[in-house]
Amino acid sequence: NQTGILIERATNTNTDDFTDAFGSLGAAGGGGGGGGYYSGNNLHSSSSSQGAIAQLATRSYGALPNYSARMPTDRHAIEYNMRHKNRGLALIFNHEHFEVPTLKSRSGTNVDCDNLARVLKQLDFEVLTYKDCRLKDLMRHIESAANQDHTDDDCILVAILSHGELGYIYAKDTQYKLDNIWTYFTAQNCPSLAGKPKLFFIQACQGDRLDPGITMKRMQTETDGESSMSYKIPVHADFLIAYSTIPGFYSWRNTTRGSWFMQSLCSELAANGKRLDILTLLTFVSQRVAVDYESCTPDTPEMHQQKQIPCITTMLTRILRFSDKNPLSSVVRV
């Protein structure tokens, strides 16, 4: 059973295409890497392949008291309140080099990191980037962010660029389950973010399967009051997790231009970040990845001409739009 929280009203065409898998083609399962995952202060064996969303949902919290938090918007508001003083923190964990012997360096990831940081700053985020963190340091940065007072923030965003497999992602030195990060920001653990968007963008493989795609051909027949009252929300509400690929499949990265997903995400955020709501925007991100990209590795036939599709999991309860922080900025445009 999920305990809720009471919300109270308050005064490509390059040949340098690689995958972000944890090992080489055909290396299934959790072999290779760190041999376990991090949870709290303990390292566990990686015998389970439970999906990341299931990890988040089934993690045991024990007996929870009744929590309450400040209401950031009216109960039935259509859109999230994005009129706080600050947009909020954006944490980018960029992993290029690894201490795990089976993991290759992720050439091109710095392009992703730089592009993402640039567009997030344009959307008024306070961007913090971290390079090649060991797991202990990564968790320290996450805990520090969760312990801050986000009362004056619209939301929080975390992006992880790394190697991965189903349900796991890699820090510099070992693998860990993604719920170790998310649970820091649930409503009972971070009340100042209760009722606010918590966005996670994951650029990593979720397996070693390939998507050969299918050729689409045009057919000849085809034509061209109550809102002011206190209310309760689930502790896992208002999360959005955008994966670069679907569970079980590779995620592709170009060594000079960056990953397909991050290229597409940054392009859409730059062009439409303040105009479209986030789910519409991510639909167009998926369209870009699905339609505009195809792997080009003729020297490795089994990896050649492969496709990719992002996977969006949403627990958002309202429309999210990064409206302009400066109301005068739209006036000065010509």
Side-chain angles (χ1 to χ4, degrees), residues 129-145:
T129 60
Y130 302 101
K131 180 74 180 290
D132 291 341
C133 287
R134 292 183 174 86
L135 186 55
K136 182 178 179 181
D137 295 326
L138 186 151
M139 300 307 296
R140 177 170 53 84
H141 294 312
I142 289 292
E143 185 174 9
S144 175

Side-chain angles (χ1 to χ4, degrees), residues 161-187:
L161 318 176
S162 188
H163 285 299
E165 55 183 290
L166 185 59
Y168 298 89
I169 198 161
Y170 278 89
K172 183 180 179 69
D173 56 341
T174 189
Q175 63 183 7
Y176 61 96
K177 289 188 175 182
L178 295 174
D179 72 321
N180 285 297
I181 289 179
W182 297 331
T183 50
Y184 276 96
F185 301 102
T186 54

Side-chain angles (χ1 to χ4, degrees), residues 274-288:
K274 293 187 178 181
R275 184 174 68 89
L276 299 178
D277 71 273
I278 192 66
L279 293 182
T280 301
L281 187 144
L282 288 173
T283 298
F284 291 128
V285 170
S286 294
Q287 182 187 81
R288 284 176 181 259

Side-chain angles (χ1 to χ4, degrees), residues 30-331:
Y37 66 90
Y38 181 90
S39 176
N41 294 317
N42 302 313
L43 184 68
H44 303 270
S45 63
S46 55
S47 58
S48 170
S49 60
Q50 185 182 39
I53 300 303
Q55 296 167 17
L56 180 62
T58 60
R59 180 162 177 160
S60 175
Y61 292 100
L64 292 175
N66 289 325
Y67 290 93
S68 64
R70 181 175 180 174
M71 184 190 302
T73 190
D74 286 341
R75 180 172 188 164
H76 292 127
I78 296 175
E79 299 196 11
Y80 284 103
N81 176 13
M82 305 299 282
R83 300 181 304 276
H84 295 87
K85 180 180 178 181
N86 309 312
R87 179 73 75 208
L89 290 178
L91 284 68
I92 303 176
F93 294 95
N94 178 28
H95 296 277
E96 182 179 14
H97 304 295
F98 299 85
E99 295 174 349
V100 180
T102 55
L103 298 182
K104 296 181 179 180
S105 295
R106 300 179 60 254
S107 299
T109 189
N110 293 327
V111 177
D112 284 341
C113 183
D114 292 344
N115 288 339
L116 184 59
R118 174 177 49 81
V119 296
L120 291 178
K121 288 176 182 176
Q122 292 173 357
L123 295 174
D124 305 302
F125 280 95
E126 179 186 347
V127 179
L128 303 174
T129 60
Y130 302 101
K131 180 74 180 290
D132 291 341
C133 287
R134 292 183 174 86
L135 186 55
K136 182 178 179 181
D137 295 326
L138 186 151
M139 300 307 296
R140 177 170 53 84
H141 294 312
I142 289 292
E143 185 174 9
S144 175
N147 288 338
Q148 292 187 31
D149 183 0
H150 300 273
T151 300
D152 293 330
D153 297 345
D154 293 335
C155 60
I156 193 167
L157 185 150
V158 177
I160 304 173
L161 318 176
S162 188
H163 285 299
E165 55 183 290
L166 185 59
Y168 298 89
I169 198 161
Y170 278 89
K172 183 180 179 69
D173 56 341
T174 189
Q175 63 183 7
Y176 61 96
K177 289 188 175 182
L178 295 174
D179 72 321
N180 285 297
I181 289 179
W182 297 331
T183 50
Y184 276 96
F185 301 102
T186 54
Q188 83 274 27
N189 290 331
C190 187
S192 61
L193 282 174
K196 298 178 179 181
K198 293 161 277 284
L199 312 174
F200 295 82
F201 294 94
I202 311 299
Q203 168 56 46
C205 282
Q206 292 205 71
D208 60 359
R209 295 174 63 187
L210 293 167
D211 183 349
I214 185 170
T215 301
M216 304 296 291
K217 295 182 178 180
R218 185 180 299 277
M219 305 301 292
Q220 291 182 350
T221 57
E222 187 177 3
T223 60
D224 296 321
E226 179 188 11
S227 63
S228 66
M229 298 173 59
S230 297
Y231 61 98
K232 202 173 188 181
I233 62 171
V235 295
H236 296 122
D238 308 302
F239 278 84
L240 181 142
I241 303 99
Y243 296 94
S244 59
T245 189
I246 60 175
F249 282 77
Y250 276 123
S251 180
W252 289 90
R253 169 178 36 83
N254 186 276
T255 57
T256 56
R257 298 183 181 179
S259 63
W260 300 355
F261 176 63
M262 281 295 157
Q263 287 184 62
S264 303
L265 177 64
C266 291
S267 294
E268 282 296 328
L269 286 174
N272 299 306
K274 293 187 178 181
R275 184 174 68 89
L276 299 178
D277 71 273
I278 192 66
L279 293 182
T280 301
L281 187 144
L282 288 173
T283 298
F284 291 128
V285 170
S286 294
Q287 182 187 81
R288 284 176 181 259
V289 174
V291 175
D292 295 344
Y293 292 89
E294 183 176 284
S295 65
C296 185
T297 58
D299 294 336
T300 311
E302 67 271 23
M303 307 288 279
H304 188 47
Q305 294 182 322
Q306 298 296 309
K307 302 292 287 183
Q308 178 181 325
I309 185 68
C311 180
I312 314 301
T313 299
T314 177
M315 288 83 88
L316 296 180
T317 57
R318 312 178 197 278
I319 293 172
L320 169 58
R321 197 187 322 269
F322 296 120
S323 54
D324 214 318
K325 276 295 173 192
N326 181 3
L328 298 179
S329 61
S330 60
V331 177

